[in-house]
Amino acid sequence: MARRLNSPARPDDLPVTGPVRTCIGCRERASRSELLRVTAGSGTDGHAVVVPDPDGTAPGRGAHLHPTTGCYDLAVRRKAFSRALRINPGAGGLSNVPVGEYITTQAATTRTDPTDRDWSNSS
């Protein structure tokens, strides 16, 4: 049975089934399967970095983000990664480059070439 999640401050137009999370970029609610989970990790230099967790299995606190460059840019502009992951960026800062690279790579692999269509079934 689908459960409709409604609140007076933020009514939803469509019922959402399953676990619901909020994108830290655009602040819209979506099912967990539509969002990319990110967690805090450590980079090669020992500073804290935000890393993608597409399987959603990494331990620790996570945040969710639509896997689009628009939501990623909003999250960076709002400094949402450190706030959502509850990490004090400190003097070294919190690098979110691995997430940006992941989203760019995913967007490039999911983009289809208009010439790749199967024209055999067209009328």
Side-chain angles (χ1 to χ4, degrees):
M1 179 166 112
R3 194 174 112 200
R4 184 172 174 94
L5 300 174
N6 260 345
S7 76
R10 206 170 214 180
D12 290 332
D13 296 330
L14 299 173
V16 179
T17 60
V20 176
R21 304 290 184 262
T22 302
C23 173
I24 62 172
C26 65
R27 305 293 300 154
E28 289 187 16
R29 293 169 46 179
S31 68
R32 183 176 64 184
S33 60
E34 296 176 31
L35 301 172
L36 171 67
R37 183 175 188 258
V38 296
T39 60
S42 61
T44 56
D45 57 358
H47 288 100
V49 295
V50 181
V51 293
D53 180 21
D55 298 330
T57 58
R61 186 172 188 83
H64 292 81
L65 176 75
H66 282 108
T68 63
T69 55
C71 285
Y72 171 75
D73 291 339
L74 280 171
V76 170
R77 193 174 339 146
R78 294 177 178 166
K79 299 177 183 168
F81 290 109
S82 59
R83 189 177 317 116
L85 296 172
R86 295 185 182 170
I87 294 178
N88 185 3
L94 181 65
S95 174
N96 49 35
V97 173
V99 175
E101 291 172 351
Y102 177 84
I103 290 174
T104 303
T105 304
Q106 291 300 312
T109 58
T110 58
R111 195 173 297 142
T112 58
D113 188 2
T115 59
D116 282 347
R117 293 189 183 145
D118 180 14
W119 296 100
S120 62
N121 294 331
S122 64
S123 49

